Amino acid sequence: MTELFPVPAEFAKQALIDEKTYQEWYARSVNDPDGFWGEHGKRLDWIKPYTKVKEVSYTGDVSINWFADGTLNVAANCLDRHLAKRGDQTAIIWEGDDPNDSKHVTYRELHEQVCRLSNVMTDLGVKKGDRVTIYLPMIVEAAVAMLACARVGAIHSIVFGGFSPDALAGRIQDCDSSLVITADEGLRGGRKVPLKANVDKALETCWSVKNVLVVKRTGGNIHMVTGRDHWYEELTAKAGATHTAVEMNAEDPLFILYTSGSTGKPKGVLHTTGGYLCYASMTHQYVFDYHEGDVYWCTADVGWVTGHSYIVYGPLANGAITLMFEGIPTYPDASRFWQVVDKHKVNIFYTAPTAIRSLMREGEEMVKKTSRSSLRLLGSVGEPINPEAWLWYHRVVGDNRCPIVDTWWQTETGGILITPLPGATALKPGSATRPFFGVKPVMVDAEGKVLEGAVEGNLCLAEPGWPGQMRTIFGDHKRFGETYFSTYPGYYFTGDGARRDEDGYYWITGRVDDVINVSGHRMGTAEVESALVAHPKVAEAAVVGYPHEIKGQGIYAYVTLIQGEEPTEELRKELVAWVRKEIGPIASPDLIQWSPGLPKTRSGKIMRRILRKIAENEFGALGDTSTLADPTVVEDLIENRMNRG
Ligand code: WTA
């Protein structure tokens, strides 16, 4: 029996949404979406109010439009409209990598910085609809850059600072960015990240980029290309401190964010203006039970969607105080998170299971020596949280006092879709619980048959849907339809498997496609494979995920070398370094197994199902192996399974 954690009485007293409200709002959101969202869309400031609400079709040439005839500006909603009431209130608390380095930026200061950068961008020729690539560490300028793009109507594409020059180049080329905003170097855990040097390398193959803006973060020695590279501080200091936000249509693009799928290169997920902001702000308020003045901290990086929706856009649209952390959980030591919580009196704390698991390993004392008495609510995102980690988070970090919101969602969904509402939902450790407003989960079997009741299956989403959903893949609407709406026609297919229990709670079991989730970071196995086979000594490679104690999933690579090459420890290290260089450190294989052959069908298709089972050490459950061209290949792989003791 799963233990049930009811809403604590103390929490219920002040909660924004109770069970009755959840039930009423949910029913209306799916039965009368136009009425429901027509009302909640008003949480934003519109220049021209919308008269249309939902225009969505998940069939045919998939089209998703919300509030389509309204106009607004995202930056004006995140900044200008707050100035009268809370211009002098902190918008961003920035906590640097070094524990002695922190600052508060008010809404008025942030507004001015954004206006200055907007003027700089305009002077550099950036216009509405142009793409701007942002490759920055977790510094305030990252939020400024996002908001300045939104203000002038440019589409930002943030590339996580841990990605390699090659990965960065691919993402610049795909959307033809004309401007890159970066820093000299990043700083994480006391170590420097050569951001500008990576940009220089990437730009050797990117012809679209006219200008590079460089924020001075460390003062490290870098190369500036005359005419192309400009210091951010110099240009913004000279620029005007006011700027009129550009009027955008609700369906004008706001940003592109590249994410991994099961096939091919990363897809440019495109989000638009009105629906995205409405959904990000609404979920931020209700899922985190955000009250005026609360200090809210999401530990994600702005390079991922969680940073977009729940560090910058959702919180700032709500006039919240959002904390931005440059460092890592274990620097200078493993109590850093809790030290920061105490230092800034954080009330709401949102992190990833992989961080919780790695801190669990360091022992309770690292947590218990801090007070954490300001905490009221905890959150989890990015991967399934195992009940053991959930219970530790609840007991040790939250002192049995704070509810945990386990929030399931995706880059594609723009905001949280399945989650507890902390004043309404009794919690079950390991379950993301119930759908947010507008979200209609549907479970289907492999043939697409809809399953009712308590079942396990593939998780799809039916209309009416929610306004924060992605609209297309940048430059490839056909691929959008094929990727998400063709597997189970009429439904959006999430790529995740799930179980629905007798109370209607959802338990996400993980990806059912060839995407793996390493420390909460999405990786396509195909991407790692193509990096491996690009190495001159590799003939063939197959990559699968396997259970990893800290990372959730680890990367397991089966590698076949070309004739005559010897499998040595040195070569193993070289291949790991190679993948890091090709994609970035997050893609480093954890285990490489030399495989003289890979299990294939007679038509030559690699049987990944079998490789997954072997990597998981589940030799008894290989399933049907009758279609194998050469069964001895499998025997050999099992014989040589890594770490078999
Ligand atoms: C997984 C991150 C279980 C899931 C916001 C999804 C989760 C993928 C959870 C999206 C959760 C995210 N429980 N699994 N609470 N949150 N996932 O695009 O497999 O980086 O499909 O978005 O992460 O990852 P993405």
Side-chain angles (χ1 to χ4, degrees), residues 459-480:
L459 180 63
C460 292
L461 301 162
E463 285 192 51
W466 67 104
Q469 183 166 26
M470 77 184 280
R471 302 303 198 247
T472 192
I473 292 173
F474 184 77
D476 201 348
H477 194 63
K478 190 159 162 271
R479 189 176 171 203
F480 175 58

Side-chain angles (χ1 to χ4, degrees), residues 527-592:
E527 281 168 76
V528 186
E529 285 164 7
S530 64
L532 282 167
V533 294
H535 189 281
K537 292 182 182 168
V538 175
E540 208 170 18
V543 169
V544 296
Y546 73 104
H548 187 288
E549 213 181 315
I550 304 293
K551 300 180 178 182
Q553 279 189 300
I555 300 179
Y556 196 110
Y558 296 90
V559 172
T560 309
L561 295 174
I562 60 165
Q563 282 286 328
E565 289 299 337
E566 280 302 308
T568 60
E569 180 54 21
E570 239 173 0
L571 181 54
R572 201 191 57 76
K573 285 194 185 133
E574 189 181 315
L575 290 183
V576 172
W578 174 270
V579 176
R580 289 171 75 95
K581 181 184 80 59
E582 293 273 309
I583 306 176
I586 56 171
S588 307
D590 296 279
L591 294 170
I592 291 180

Side-chain angles (χ1 to χ4, degrees), residues 306 382-384 406-411 496 508 511 517 522:
T306 308
E383 50 177 318
D406 173 5
T407 63
W408 174 84
W409 60 297
Q410 311 178 301
T411 305
D496 278 314
I508 309 297
R511 301 288 304 199
N517 197 323
R522 251 169 93 162

Side-chain angles (χ1 to χ4, degrees), residues 495-515:
D496 278 314
R499 181 164 70 79
R500 182 169 54 208
D501 71 15
E502 54 290 348
D503 296 321
Y505 277 37
Y506 290 86
W507 302 71
I508 309 297
T509 49
R511 301 288 304 199
V512 293
D513 53 10
D514 289 320
V515 170

Side-chain angles (χ1 to χ4, degrees), residues 138 297-308 311 325 350-351 381:
M138 285 291 288
W297 180 16
C298 163
T299 70
D301 189 286
V302 291
W304 310 115
V305 74
T306 308
H308 284 62
I311 294 178
F325 177 44
Y350 187 33
T351 196
V381 60

Side-chain angles (χ1 to χ4, degrees), residues 41-58:
K42 293 189 190 135
R43 61 186 297 116
L44 302 181
D45 270 10
W46 297 83
I47 299 170
K48 180 171 154 281
Y50 49 86
T51 61
K52 301 173 177 173
V53 181
K54 168 186 167 272
E55 293 159 308
V56 172
S57 169
Y58 283 2

